[in-house]
């Protein structure tokens, strides 16, 4: 079953120019190349082979010399150098056969022709259309268009209505190939090439039918494989997307800055933790809870009351020892007070005749800051409990009087011994009198 090359050409061209192909891309950065790198970072050389069908009918349809165009086989190959992401220079070779029947002018003697293209070589520029976008580093499908110029050699055979064949000698002419198609990446180094090409020939003798000033042309629809040469560690220049590469570089830089910022934040957090720990240690080592001027770490007597003078270990200093000198005159004042001291019978009330001598004792305590111990004693008359209370009350009574006169209460001690410490016998009145006494001790 014959295939219409016209319809096939339209389909291939429509697919090649379709914007939907631009979306079939890959985000792989396996063969990432830094933006603005030279062509040395890419694979730029490739070779290809292809085969397909030829026909006198083309997309640029007009009246051909023959009514019927028979599809025939063609094949070829090429070598391409990709000089830019979108531009490649390609050297092409082609061989094939053209055939048609039913001349448009009925009087023409040849009813069918067959032309064998011995060779067609040309140099073409190939423009890749779909490797520039913002999102992807590499395209899977690359539409392209091509145009060039070259030379071909061909020979034709004419067949008359009776079946007689006439072979025409080899002819040579130049031609212009214009094509479009798309390539599909099958792997890192292999691309499927689907395309359609119209060859404008600078002669009207390609079919050996000369109909006025008319230039022949033919179409060639093909499928083939392209092999990229060089290390697979490098991407193909034709499939690499420089715009997305710049975008990736920006995103990678942004990510690197974010990572650096996150690391700096982590380091700052660690420094803050270390600083807080150090401050806590410093606070612990420099704490002085009781305010005595000695750090807690060295304070052997924590909790010292405020204002207490302490030594280097934080312990209270012993009060300074003041040497007290009691003179004979001082003793005489005290002895006189003892001698003149009288209480009401069985009471702790001091009789007035004792006041003058006690006043002198009070003044002595004020002037010389003496300490005074008052010790009350009784005889054995009455119960021991009553005598103990009475001796204590009399000593306290004297202390109260002296304090009232200005003496320092903290330096006066009043105690009672009752009848426990007699200095004479309680069997006689004189002895009992001696035992009823209050002793004054200066110090």
């Amino acid at each position: 079953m014959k295939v219409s090359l016209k319809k096939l050409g339209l389909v291939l061209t429509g697919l090649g120019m379709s914007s939907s192909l631009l979306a079939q891309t890959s985000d792989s950065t396996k063969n990432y190349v830094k933006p603005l790198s030279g062509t040395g970072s890419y694979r730029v050389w490739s070779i290809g082979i292809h085969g397909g069908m030829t026909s006198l009918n083309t997309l640029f349809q007009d009246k051909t010399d023959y009514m019927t165009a028979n599809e025939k086989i063609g094949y070829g190959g090429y070598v391409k150098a990709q000089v830019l992401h979108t531009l490649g220079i390609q050297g092409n070779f082609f061989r094939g056969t053209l055939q048609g029947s039913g001349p448009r002018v009925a009087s023409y003697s040849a009813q069918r022709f067959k032309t064998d293209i011995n060779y067609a070589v040309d140099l073409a520029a190939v423009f890749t259309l779909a490797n520039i976008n913002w999102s992807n580093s590499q395209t899977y499908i690359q539409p392209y268009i091509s145009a060039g110029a070259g030379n071909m050699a061909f020979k034709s055979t004419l067949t008359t209505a009776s079946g007689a064949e006439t072979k025409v000698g080899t002819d040579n002419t130049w031609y212009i190939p214009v094509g479009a198609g798309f390539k599909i990446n099958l792997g890192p180094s292999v691309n499927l090439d689907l395309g359609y090409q119209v060859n404008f020939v600078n002669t009207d003798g390609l079919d050996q039918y000369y109909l006025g000033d008319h230039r022949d042309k033919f179409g060639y629809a093909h499928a083939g494989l392209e092999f990229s040469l060089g290390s697979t560690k490098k991407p193909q220049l034709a499939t690499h997307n420089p715009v997305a590469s710049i975008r990736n570089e920006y995103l990678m830089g942004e990510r690197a800055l974010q990572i650096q910022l996150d690391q700096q934040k982590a380091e700052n957090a660690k420094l803050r933790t270390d600083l807080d720990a150090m401050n806590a240690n410093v606070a612990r080592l420099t704490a002085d809870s009781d305010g005595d001027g000695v750090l807690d770490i060295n304070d052997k007597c924590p909790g010292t009351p405020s204002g207490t003078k302490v030594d280097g270990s934080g312990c209270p200093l012993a009060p300074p020892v003041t040497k007290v000198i009691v003179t004979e005159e001082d003793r005489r004042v005290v002895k006189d007070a003892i001698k003149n001291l009288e209480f009401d019978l069985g009471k702790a009330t001091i009789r007035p005749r004792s006041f003058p001598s006690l006043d002198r004792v009070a003044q002595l305590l004020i002037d010389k800051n003496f300490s005074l111990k008052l010790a009350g004693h009784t005889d054995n008359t009455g119960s021991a409990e009553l005598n103990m209370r009475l001796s204590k009350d009399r000593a306290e009574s004297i202390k109260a009087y002296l304090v009232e006169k200005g003496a320092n209460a903290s330096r006066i001690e009043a105690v009672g011994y009752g009848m426990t410490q007699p200095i004479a016998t309680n069997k006689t009145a004189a002895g009992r009198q001696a035992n009823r006494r209050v002793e004054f001790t200066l110090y």
Side-chain angles (χ1 to χ4, degrees), residues 343-367:
F343 294 94
D344 288 342
L345 183 64
K347 297 181 180 180
T349 304
I350 304 172
R351 291 180 177 178
R353 68 178 300 274
S354 302
F355 292 162
S357 58
L358 289 177
D359 291 344
R360 289 191 289 274
V361 172
Q363 191 61 46
L364 180 64
L365 296 178
I366 295 171
D367 293 342

PDB file of all heavy atoms in Angstrom, residues 343-367:
ATOM      1  N   PHE A 343      17.662  46.050 150.752  1.00  0.00           N
ATOM      2  CA  PHE A 343      16.361  45.742 150.147  1.00  0.00           C
ATOM      3  C   PHE A 343      15.306  45.693 151.235  1.00  0.00           C
ATOM      4  O   PHE A 343      15.616  45.465 152.407  1.00  0.00           O
ATOM      5  CB  PHE A 343      16.423  44.362 149.457  1.00  0.00           C
ATOM      6  CG  PHE A 343      17.348  44.306 148.256  1.00  0.00           C
ATOM      7  CD1 PHE A 343      18.660  43.884 148.393  1.00  0.00           C
ATOM      8  CD2 PHE A 343      16.876  44.672 146.997  1.00  0.00           C
ATOM      9  CE1 PHE A 343      19.491  43.822 147.301  1.00  0.00           C
ATOM     10  CE2 PHE A 343      17.729  44.602 145.914  1.00  0.00           C
ATOM     11  CZ  PHE A 343      19.038  44.184 146.046  1.00  0.00           C
ATOM     12  N   ASP A 344      14.070  45.888 150.840  1.00  0.00           N
ATOM     13  CA  ASP A 344      12.982  45.680 151.791  1.00  0.00           C
ATOM     14  C   ASP A 344      12.972  44.203 152.175  1.00  0.00           C
ATOM     15  O   ASP A 344      13.352  43.333 151.371  1.00  0.00           O
ATOM     16  CB  ASP A 344      11.632  46.058 151.186  1.00  0.00           C
ATOM     17  CG  ASP A 344      11.496  47.575 151.038  1.00  0.00           C
ATOM     18  OD1 ASP A 344      12.254  48.303 151.693  1.00  0.00           O
ATOM     19  OD2 ASP A 344      10.649  48.007 150.200  1.00  0.00           O
ATOM     20  N   LEU A 345      12.499  43.924 153.358  1.00  0.00           N
ATOM     21  CA  LEU A 345      12.530  42.578 153.892  1.00  0.00           C
ATOM     22  C   LEU A 345      11.719  41.638 153.011  1.00  0.00           C
ATOM     23  O   LEU A 345      10.544  41.874 152.733  1.00  0.00           O
ATOM     24  CB  LEU A 345      11.989  42.560 155.335  1.00  0.00           C
ATOM     25  CG  LEU A 345      12.028  41.201 156.030  1.00  0.00           C
ATOM     26  CD1 LEU A 345      13.480  40.720 156.206  1.00  0.00           C
ATOM     27  CD2 LEU A 345      11.320  41.295 157.395  1.00  0.00           C
ATOM     28  N   GLY A 346      12.397  40.564 152.576  1.00  0.00           N
ATOM     29  CA  GLY A 346      11.731  39.526 151.762  1.00  0.00           C
ATOM     30  C   GLY A 346      11.323  39.998 150.388  1.00  0.00           C
ATOM     31  O   GLY A 346      10.554  39.318 149.708  1.00  0.00           O
ATOM     32  N   LYS A 347      11.836  41.184 149.932  1.00  0.00           N
ATOM     33  CA  LYS A 347      11.454  41.738 148.636  1.00  0.00           C
ATOM     34  C   LYS A 347      12.705  42.082 147.833  1.00  0.00           C
ATOM     35  O   LYS A 347      13.816  42.060 148.334  1.00  0.00           O
ATOM     36  CB  LYS A 347      10.591  42.980 148.819  1.00  0.00           C
ATOM     37  CG  LYS A 347       9.273  42.699 149.523  1.00  0.00           C
ATOM     38  CD  LYS A 347       8.480  43.997 149.636  1.00  0.00           C
ATOM     39  CE  LYS A 347       7.133  43.740 150.339  1.00  0.00           C
ATOM     40  NZ  LYS A 347       6.355  44.985 150.450  1.00  0.00           N
ATOM     41  N   ALA A 348      12.464  42.473 146.534  1.00  0.00           N
ATOM     42  CA  ALA A 348      13.566  42.876 145.658  1.00  0.00           C
ATOM     43  C   ALA A 348      13.596  44.382 145.485  1.00  0.00           C
ATOM     44  O   ALA A 348      14.289  44.901 144.603  1.00  0.00           O
ATOM     45  CB  ALA A 348      13.443  42.170 144.285  1.00  0.00           C
ATOM     46  N   THR A 349      12.871  45.088 146.354  1.00  0.00           N
ATOM     47  CA  THR A 349      12.805  46.544 146.250  1.00  0.00           C
ATOM     48  C   THR A 349      14.032  47.168 146.898  1.00  0.00           C
ATOM     49  O   THR A 349      14.327  46.884 148.068  1.00  0.00           O
ATOM     50  CB  THR A 349      11.533  47.084 146.914  1.00  0.00           C
ATOM     51  OG1 THR A 349      10.395  46.445 146.324  1.00  0.00           O
ATOM     52  CG2 THR A 349      11.433  48.583 146.746  1.00  0.00           C
ATOM     53  N   ILE A 350      14.778  47.989 146.157  1.00  0.00           N
ATOM     54  CA  ILE A 350      15.994  48.636 146.670  1.00  0.00           C
ATOM     55  C   ILE A 350      15.588  49.849 147.504  1.00  0.00           C
ATOM     56  O   ILE A 350      14.789  50.672 147.068  1.00  0.00           O
ATOM     57  CB  ILE A 350      16.906  49.082 145.517  1.00  0.00           C
ATOM     58  CG1 ILE A 350      17.241  47.892 144.598  1.00  0.00           C
ATOM     59  CG2 ILE A 350      18.183  49.710 146.037  1.00  0.00           C
ATOM     60  CD1 ILE A 350      17.978  48.296 143.327  1.00  0.00           C
ATOM     61  N   ARG A 351      16.185  49.944 148.655  1.00  0.00           N
ATOM     62  CA  ARG A 351      15.884  51.091 149.513  1.00  0.00           C
ATOM     63  C   ARG A 351      16.656  52.318 149.032  1.00  0.00           C
ATOM     64  O   ARG A 351      17.777  52.205 148.512  1.00  0.00           O
ATOM     65  CB  ARG A 351      16.238  50.775 150.953  1.00  0.00           C
ATOM     66  CG  ARG A 351      15.310  49.713 151.548  1.00  0.00           C
ATOM     67  CD  ARG A 351      15.671  49.425 152.975  1.00  0.00           C
ATOM     68  NE  ARG A 351      14.720  48.463 153.564  1.00  0.00           N
ATOM     69  CZ  ARG A 351      14.791  47.989 154.783  1.00  0.00           C
ATOM     70  NH1 ARG A 351      15.818  48.341 155.579  1.00  0.00           N
ATOM     71  NH2 ARG A 351      13.863  47.150 155.237  1.00  0.00           N
ATOM     72  N   PRO A 352      16.072  53.489 149.211  1.00  0.00           N
ATOM     73  CA  PRO A 352      16.661  54.721 148.678  1.00  0.00           C
ATOM     74  C   PRO A 352      18.078  55.005 149.155  1.00  0.00           C
ATOM     75  O   PRO A 352      18.859  55.610 148.388  1.00  0.00           O
ATOM     76  CB  PRO A 352      15.683  55.795 149.160  1.00  0.00           C
ATOM     77  CG  PRO A 352      14.379  55.079 149.280  1.00  0.00           C
ATOM     78  CD  PRO A 352      14.726  53.718 149.773  1.00  0.00           C
ATOM     79  N   ARG A 353      18.471  54.612 150.321  1.00  0.00           N
ATOM     80  CA  ARG A 353      19.813  54.929 150.813  1.00  0.00           C
ATOM     81  C   ARG A 353      20.883  54.243 149.990  1.00  0.00           C
ATOM     82  O   ARG A 353      22.065  54.596 150.066  1.00  0.00           O
ATOM     83  CB  ARG A 353      19.937  54.542 152.291  1.00  0.00           C
ATOM     84  CG  ARG A 353      19.898  53.082 152.598  1.00  0.00           C
ATOM     85  CD  ARG A 353      20.076  52.839 154.107  1.00  0.00           C
ATOM     86  NE  ARG A 353      21.330  53.340 154.620  1.00  0.00           N
ATOM     87  CZ  ARG A 353      22.488  52.655 154.602  1.00  0.00           C
ATOM     88  NH1 ARG A 353      22.530  51.429 154.086  1.00  0.00           N
ATOM     89  NH2 ARG A 353      23.581  53.186 155.113  1.00  0.00           N
ATOM     90  N   SER A 354      20.475  53.258 149.158  1.00  0.00           N
ATOM     91  CA  SER A 354      21.445  52.553 148.319  1.00  0.00           C
ATOM     92  C   SER A 354      21.668  53.269 146.983  1.00  0.00           C
ATOM     93  O   SER A 354      22.629  52.962 146.245  1.00  0.00           O
ATOM     94  CB  SER A 354      20.961  51.125 148.028  1.00  0.00           C
ATOM     95  OG  SER A 354      20.741  50.401 149.228  1.00  0.00           O
ATOM     96  N   PHE A 355      20.813  54.257 146.653  1.00  0.00           N
ATOM     97  CA  PHE A 355      20.864  54.862 145.311  1.00  0.00           C
ATOM     98  C   PHE A 355      22.171  55.598 145.026  1.00  0.00           C
ATOM     99  O   PHE A 355      22.733  55.474 143.936  1.00  0.00           O
ATOM    100  CB  PHE A 355      19.677  55.792 145.117  1.00  0.00           C
ATOM    101  CG  PHE A 355      18.340  55.076 145.050  1.00  0.00           C
ATOM    102  CD1 PHE A 355      17.142  55.782 145.253  1.00  0.00           C
ATOM    103  CD2 PHE A 355      18.269  53.699 144.810  1.00  0.00           C
ATOM    104  CE1 PHE A 355      15.912  55.134 145.194  1.00  0.00           C
ATOM    105  CE2 PHE A 355      17.034  53.067 144.782  1.00  0.00           C
ATOM    106  CZ  PHE A 355      15.858  53.770 144.955  1.00  0.00           C
ATOM    107  N   PRO A 356      22.701  56.432 145.957  1.00  0.00           N
ATOM    108  CA  PRO A 356      23.909  57.191 145.613  1.00  0.00           C
ATOM    109  C   PRO A 356      25.088  56.286 145.207  1.00  0.00           C
ATOM    110  O   PRO A 356      25.793  56.566 144.225  1.00  0.00           O
ATOM    111  CB  PRO A 356      24.193  57.962 146.891  1.00  0.00           C
ATOM    112  CG  PRO A 356      22.852  58.128 147.533  1.00  0.00           C
ATOM    113  CD  PRO A 356      22.142  56.860 147.286  1.00  0.00           C
ATOM    114  N   SER A 357      25.291  55.226 145.971  1.00  0.00           N
ATOM    115  CA  SER A 357      26.414  54.361 145.645  1.00  0.00           C
ATOM    116  C   SER A 357      26.178  53.607 144.331  1.00  0.00           C
ATOM    117  O   SER A 357      27.090  53.357 143.526  1.00  0.00           O
ATOM    118  CB  SER A 357      26.688  53.377 146.791  1.00  0.00           C
ATOM    119  OG  SER A 357      25.541  52.589 147.064  1.00  0.00           O
ATOM    120  N   LEU A 358      24.931  53.237 144.045  1.00  0.00           N
ATOM    121  CA  LEU A 358      24.620  52.578 142.761  1.00  0.00           C
ATOM    122  C   LEU A 358      24.777  53.542 141.592  1.00  0.00           C
ATOM    123  O   LEU A 358      25.162  53.141 140.480  1.00  0.00           O
ATOM    124  CB  LEU A 358      23.184  52.020 142.793  1.00  0.00           C
ATOM    125  CG  LEU A 358      22.943  50.788 143.691  1.00  0.00           C
ATOM    126  CD1 LEU A 358      21.464  50.396 143.687  1.00  0.00           C
ATOM    127  CD2 LEU A 358      23.812  49.606 143.241  1.00  0.00           C
ATOM    128  N   ASP A 359      24.449  54.835 141.850  1.00  0.00           N
ATOM    129  CA  ASP A 359      24.632  55.831 140.792  1.00  0.00           C
ATOM    130  C   ASP A 359      26.089  55.919 140.377  1.00  0.00           C
ATOM    131  O   ASP A 359      26.413  56.077 139.176  1.00  0.00           O
ATOM    132  CB  ASP A 359      24.136  57.202 141.257  1.00  0.00           C
ATOM    133  CG  ASP A 359      22.625  57.246 141.408  1.00  0.00           C
ATOM    134  OD1 ASP A 359      21.958  56.308 140.848  1.00  0.00           O
ATOM    135  OD2 ASP A 359      22.124  58.170 142.036  1.00  0.00           O
ATOM    136  N   ARG A 360      27.012  55.828 141.346  1.00  0.00           N
ATOM    137  CA  ARG A 360      28.432  55.892 141.006  1.00  0.00           C
ATOM    138  C   ARG A 360      28.865  54.655 140.208  1.00  0.00           C
ATOM    139  O   ARG A 360      29.696  54.739 139.297  1.00  0.00           O
ATOM    140  CB  ARG A 360      29.249  56.026 142.299  1.00  0.00           C
ATOM    141  CG  ARG A 360      29.110  57.412 142.977  1.00  0.00           C
ATOM    142  CD  ARG A 360      30.129  57.603 144.082  1.00  0.00           C
ATOM    143  NE  ARG A 360      29.813  56.771 145.232  1.00  0.00           N
ATOM    144  CZ  ARG A 360      28.995  57.113 146.214  1.00  0.00           C
ATOM    145  NH1 ARG A 360      28.410  58.309 146.187  1.00  0.00           N
ATOM    146  NH2 ARG A 360      28.772  56.305 147.220  1.00  0.00           N
ATOM    147  N   VAL A 361      28.268  53.501 140.534  1.00  0.00           N
ATOM    148  CA  VAL A 361      28.572  52.277 139.755  1.00  0.00           C
ATOM    149  C   VAL A 361      28.085  52.446 138.308  1.00  0.00           C
ATOM    150  O   VAL A 361      28.778  52.091 137.332  1.00  0.00           O
ATOM    151  CB  VAL A 361      27.940  51.046 140.408  1.00  0.00           C
ATOM    152  CG1 VAL A 361      28.085  49.826 139.508  1.00  0.00           C
ATOM    153  CG2 VAL A 361      28.569  50.773 141.755  1.00  0.00           C
ATOM    154  N   ALA A 362      26.875  53.016 138.154  1.00  0.00           N
ATOM    155  CA  ALA A 362      26.329  53.222 136.815  1.00  0.00           C
ATOM    156  C   ALA A 362      27.224  54.134 136.001  1.00  0.00           C
ATOM    157  O   ALA A 362      27.502  53.892 134.812  1.00  0.00           O
ATOM    158  CB  ALA A 362      24.920  53.792 136.914  1.00  0.00           C
ATOM    159  N   GLN A 363      27.708  55.203 136.629  1.00  0.00           N
ATOM    160  CA  GLN A 363      28.580  56.136 135.919  1.00  0.00           C
ATOM    161  C   GLN A 363      29.896  55.482 135.557  1.00  0.00           C
ATOM    162  O   GLN A 363      30.463  55.734 134.482  1.00  0.00           O
ATOM    163  CB  GLN A 363      28.817  57.379 136.787  1.00  0.00           C
ATOM    164  CG  GLN A 363      29.479  58.527 136.037  1.00  0.00           C
ATOM    165  CD  GLN A 363      28.627  59.018 134.873  1.00  0.00           C
ATOM    166  OE1 GLN A 363      27.426  59.217 135.040  1.00  0.00           O
ATOM    167  NE2 GLN A 363      29.247  59.194 133.713  1.00  0.00           N
ATOM    168  N   LEU A 364      30.389  54.595 136.411  1.00  0.00           N
ATOM    169  CA  LEU A 364      31.625  53.875 136.148  1.00  0.00           C
ATOM    170  C   LEU A 364      31.460  52.971 134.921  1.00  0.00           C
ATOM    171  O   LEU A 364      32.342  52.894 134.051  1.00  0.00           O
ATOM    172  CB  LEU A 364      32.014  53.054 137.388  1.00  0.00           C
ATOM    173  CG  LEU A 364      33.290  52.223 137.277  1.00  0.00           C
ATOM    174  CD1 LEU A 364      34.505  53.138 137.103  1.00  0.00           C
ATOM    175  CD2 LEU A 364      33.465  51.354 138.527  1.00  0.00           C
ATOM    176  N   LEU A 365      30.329  52.307 134.842  1.00  0.00           N
ATOM    177  CA  LEU A 365      30.060  51.436 133.673  1.00  0.00           C
ATOM    178  C   LEU A 365      29.973  52.258 132.386  1.00  0.00           C
ATOM    179  O   LEU A 365      30.415  51.821 131.311  1.00  0.00           O
ATOM    180  CB  LEU A 365      28.762  50.662 133.879  1.00  0.00           C
ATOM    181  CG  LEU A 365      28.739  49.650 135.051  1.00  0.00           C
ATOM    182  CD1 LEU A 365      27.358  48.997 135.165  1.00  0.00           C
ATOM    183  CD2 LEU A 365      29.821  48.582 134.868  1.00  0.00           C
ATOM    184  N   ILE A 366      29.364  53.440 132.510  1.00  0.00           N
ATOM    185  CA  ILE A 366      29.233  54.295 131.318  1.00  0.00           C
ATOM    186  C   ILE A 366      30.596  54.810 130.880  1.00  0.00           C
ATOM    187  O   ILE A 366      30.942  54.785 129.695  1.00  0.00           O
ATOM    188  CB  ILE A 366      28.276  55.459 131.607  1.00  0.00           C
ATOM    189  CG1 ILE A 366      26.853  54.925 131.858  1.00  0.00           C
ATOM    190  CG2 ILE A 366      28.280  56.465 130.477  1.00  0.00           C
ATOM    191  CD1 ILE A 366      25.887  55.985 132.360  1.00  0.00           C
ATOM    192  N   ASP A 367      31.385  55.295 131.842  1.00  0.00           N
ATOM    193  CA  ASP A 367      32.652  55.937 131.500  1.00  0.00           C
ATOM    194  C   ASP A 367      33.677  54.944 130.975  1.00  0.00           C
ATOM    195  O   ASP A 367      34.421  55.235 130.023  1.00  0.00           O
ATOM    196  CB  ASP A 367      33.202  56.659 132.740  1.00  0.00           C
ATOM    197  CG  ASP A 367      32.342  57.841 133.151  1.00  0.00           C
ATOM    198  OD1 ASP A 367      31.547  58.295 132.288  1.00  0.00           O
ATOM    199  OD2 ASP A 367      32.466  58.290 134.301  1.00  0.00           O
TER     200      ASP A 367
END
